[in-house]
Amino acid sequence: MKMKIVASLFATLVSSATLAQVAVTDPWVRATVPQQKATGAFMQITAPADARLVEARSPVANIVEIHEMVMDKDVMKMRAISGIDLPAGKAVELKPGGYHVMLIDLNAQVKEGDVVPLTVVIEGKDGKRESIELKAAARPLNSSGVMPMHKH
Amino acid sequence: MPSIHCAARTAVRTVFALLAAVALTACDSTALQFRNTDITGANFGTDFSLLDPEGNTRSLSDFRGKAVMMFFGFTQCPDICPTALSRATEVRKLLGDDGQHLKVIFVSVDPERDVPEVLKAYTAAFDPDFLGLYTSVENTRKVADDFRVFYRKVPTGGSYTMDHTATSYVYDPQGRLRLAVSHQSSAESIAADVRILLQTASSRP
Ligand SMILES: [Cu+2]
Ligand SMILES: [Cu+2]
């Protein structure tokens, strides 16, 4: 009995400790043309324990939402969703054709090469939230999002 | 290539009658072997009347002599539209010198936000030769219907996004609708098909 309590306490400690190690790799934003008021941000997120991306913020946009893009037959649909599940140890990709962080009502043009500050908020199973500050590089509008040397 | 097949067929005709029949079929159909969906003879999307960013009225017949690839979308799209236009850029590169015989047209389904300056800057960011076209809100619906393109405004976060058909259409140099290209199609498959359309047109008497 005592062992079990210790074990579960240990598990709790481990999960809150590992939550701090959520890895976000290759964050990028699609550059815009002048007067274009919205764009998308993309990245890969790996959480060591089950967690969820619940919020994103950026000073460059007045509205930031988490979006999902789906194809319904030949029709593209994009919707705001409440969050994205991050299963333990699995790299979840936010990429063209799937999930993205939508930057709406941009304050200014996002130019190629700009560094866009982005904050993502990850919530653990225990409800604890962690904010991760990112610097997303603005890639050309015509970027496919696929890094040439990044072959799988 | 068909000529080799056909020569071989002639040589072995008397012995391998069945094989010859198969080869004959292959020779006849090679010219129309598209990798994207062949919609030759479609009774929709025959023409349009839209405005370019300079305010000139444009129609499909302005581009006779060129293959035309046409796509409906909106510039605030973070996803499908940039991907489709990047692919079109790639298609023109793959075509090499023939790339100049392919006109890429982007028709806005969101004319309220895709004002001429935005439309022009947007298409030029992919390729200065791409042409963005638009019309009034009411006419946009009519043109989209003519092309069997679906679109719809969907509110999101105090703003809105657009659901829209992600299919591109390809016309031959005579201005006839020939291919429907899905969002998943590769630049290579489109380039191969456009090449066929350009060659078929130039070999015509
Ligand atoms: Cu979006
Ligand atoms: Cu789109």
Side-chain angles (χ1 to χ4, degrees), chain A residues 76, chain B residues 71-74 77-82 162 164:
Chain A
M76 179 212 89
Chain B
F71 178 77
F72 289 74
F74 67 117
C77 179
D79 225 312
I80 294 291
C81 296
M162 310 291 296
H164 68 91

Side-chain angles (χ1 to χ4, degrees), chain A residues 85-100:
Chain A
D85 284 333
L86 306 169
K90 186 174 178 284
V92 174
E93 285 198 281
L94 279 68
K95 62 173 183 183
Y99 298 122
H100 56 262

Side-chain angles (χ1 to χ4, degrees), chain B residues 164-187:
Chain B
H164 68 91
T165 299
T167 306
S168 300
Y169 291 120
V170 177
Y171 292 80
D172 66 21
Q174 284 82 36
R176 294 172 305 198
L177 180 52
R178 303 298 297 271
L179 302 168
V181 176
S182 91
H183 178 62
Q184 288 81 11
S185 282
S186 67

Side-chain angles (χ1 to χ4, degrees), chain B residues 8-170:
Chain B
R9 173 175 62 81
T10 311
V12 299
R13 179 166 47 192
T14 49
V15 188
F16 300 109
L18 180 63
L19 184 65
V22 172
L24 180 65
T25 311
C27 290
D28 288 349
S29 59
T30 305
L32 292 170
Q33 217 67 78
F34 294 116
R35 289 167 64 184
N36 290 280
T37 309
D38 188 342
I39 53 169
T40 302
N43 62 350
F44 62 93
T46 47
D47 207 350
F48 56 75
S49 179
L50 293 162
L51 295 171
D52 69 18
E54 276 72 40
N56 305 307
T57 303
R58 308 302 291 263
S59 63
L60 198 55
S61 49
D62 295 350
F63 308 100
R64 278 302 131 80
K66 287 188 178 198
V68 171
M69 180 151 69
M70 191 172 171
F71 178 77
F72 289 74
F74 67 117
T75 69
Q76 317 277 337
C77 179
D79 225 312
I80 294 291
C81 296
T83 305
L85 290 173
S86 300
R87 182 181 63 181
T89 308
E90 186 63 27
V91 169
R92 288 190 84 220
K93 279 199 195 114
L94 289 168
L95 287 170
D97 284 349
D98 282 340
Q100 60 183 315
H101 302 302
L102 174 67
K103 191 71 191 178
V104 175
I105 294 176
F106 177 82
V107 181
S108 174
V109 293
D110 187 14
E112 286 165 275
R113 293 187 296 197
D114 293 345
V115 295
E117 308 84 71
V118 175
L119 200 52
K120 191 180 168 74
Y122 185 78
T123 55
F126 294 91
D127 186 330
D129 191 64
F130 288 6
L131 183 63
L133 297 177
Y134 71 101
T135 183
S136 66
V137 173
E138 306 76 57
N139 277 334
T140 300
R141 176 62 69 193
K142 199 185 152 296
V143 173
D145 285 348
D146 283 351
F147 284 77
R148 300 206 181 154
V149 163
F150 168 88
Y151 69 94
R152 183 165 62 123
K153 247 186 196 182
V154 181
T156 182
S159 177
Y160 65 88
T161 176
M162 310 291 296
D163 291 350
H164 68 91
T165 299
T167 306
S168 300
Y169 291 120
V170 177

Side-chain angles (χ1 to χ4, degrees), chain A:
Chain A
M1 191 61 188
K2 201 175 240 176
M3 277 302 285
K4 200 179 173 187
I5 293 167
V6 171
S8 74
L9 183 66
F10 182 69
T12 310
L13 284 172
V14 167
S15 80
S16 48
T18 51
L19 186 58
Q21 293 161 21
V22 170
V24 180
T25 53
D26 196 25
W28 66 281
V29 172
R30 194 185 292 283
T32 64
V33 296
Q35 297 185 60
Q36 188 185 341
K37 298 299 277 179
T39 191
F42 308 88
M43 66 199 77
Q44 290 106 48
I45 310 175
T46 311
D50 286 354
R52 195 170 154 81
L53 169 67
V54 292
E55 195 187 331
R57 296 188 289 265
S58 175
V60 304
N62 292 315
I63 302 162
V64 181
E65 297 178 344
I66 300 166
H67 277 194
E68 181 182 28
M69 211 281 313
V70 289
M71 289 298 294
D72 181 357
K73 291 194 186 112
D74 60 342
V75 175
M76 179 212 89
K77 296 185 172 180
M78 175 166 82
R79 295 289 181 271
I81 52 176
S82 61
I84 300 170
D85 284 333
L86 306 169
K90 186 174 178 284
V92 174
E93 285 198 281
L94 279 68
K95 62 173 183 183
Y99 298 122
H100 56 262
V101 169
M102 190 83 183
L103 304 171
I104 303 166
D105 196 9
L106 294 167
N107 296 316
Q109 179 188 6
V110 178
K111 295 198 184 84
E112 184 182 339
D114 281 1
V115 174
V116 178
L118 204 62
T119 305
V120 290
V121 181
I122 313 287
E123 188 177 275
K125 279 277 183 225
D126 53 4
K128 281 202 179 114
R129 290 186 170 202
E130 179 198 358
S131 293
I132 303 171
E133 308 294 332
L134 305 170
K135 294 205 182 310
R139 291 195 196 156
L141 180 55
N142 64 4
S143 177
S144 62
V146 183
M147 298 259 281
M149 55 274 190
H150 220 88
K151 291 258 155 65
H152 293 277

